[in-house]
Amino acid sequence: MTPRPPQRPKDPIGPPLDGSELRGWLRRLAALPEERQQAVIGRVNWHVLDAAGEEALMGWLAHSLLTGPPEAQAFALKTLEKASRVRRGRHLSRFKDVAERSDEDLAARLASLFGPGLGARPPQRPPQPAPAAGEDDLARLRAFFDRSGKAR
């Protein structure tokens, strides 16, 4: 009896879906009730998404923000928070349209997620005046310049 060659473990991720497979998956997702859709989207691993899958996910999130009830909007915002700032930035124009077509509250929450790209201004700190130099500081400066021979 000859030993069998070692088997490679199965890849848990698998190959990316082609266009027709992705459209079929999205069609089946859309046919599910809202709670099941959220359960599926909530389990998405952002690190293994390809460009087409990312585009589909962002489209679902944008649609959910525009047409969903407040619970669906809260879920979509929470899901967007999980994505990196770079990944969100790739879809800035899509969510800019969503912010323009939504109410002020949702637009403000989107602006806080996307930052300056959606018109949110970073918080401004008032300028702090420089502290006045004390006698200690002036004495040290004089001593430094006296040592270097450039004091006047």
Side-chain angles (χ1 to χ4, degrees):
M1 178 168 210
T2 62
R4 292 191 331 200
Q7 292 181 341
R8 287 183 38 202
K10 279 183 138 181
D11 185 9
I13 296 170
L17 300 176
D18 67 6
S20 63
E21 290 173 330
L22 184 61
R23 284 190 301 276
W25 184 83
L26 290 171
R27 194 172 39 252
R28 288 188 303 276
L29 178 69
L32 295 173
E34 184 72 27
E35 298 81 31
R36 282 284 291 143
Q37 288 182 27
Q38 289 180 7
V40 169
I41 297 295
R43 288 191 307 258
V44 168
N45 185 344
W46 287 91
H47 300 290
V48 297
L49 279 178
D50 61 341
E54 180 180 321
E55 186 70 28
L57 177 66
M58 291 296 185
W60 185 90
L61 292 171
H63 177 75
S64 188
L65 285 170
L66 281 174
T67 62
E71 303 84 34
Q73 290 177 348
F75 174 79
L77 288 170
K78 187 175 106 178
T79 304
L80 271 173
E81 283 179 25
K82 291 180 186 177
S84 67
R85 187 170 289 278
V86 172
R87 195 175 292 259
R88 286 190 304 239
R90 284 187 226 145
H91 303 278
L92 182 66
S93 61
R94 172 181 287 179
F95 288 99
K96 195 175 222 176
D97 293 341
V98 170
E100 290 171 357
R101 293 169 48 189
S102 61
D103 62 354
E104 290 180 19
D105 180 49
L106 181 59
R109 291 189 291 175
L110 278 171
S112 71
L113 272 176
F114 283 88
L118 283 182
R121 294 186 181 146
Q124 298 289 327
R125 286 192 206 165
Q128 301 291 330
E135 284 299 317
D136 244 12
D137 299 326
L138 293 175
R140 281 189 283 154
L141 279 173
R142 277 191 208 109
F144 171 77
F145 284 114
D146 286 341
R147 282 191 307 255
S148 64
K150 294 182 180 162
R152 295 182 182 212

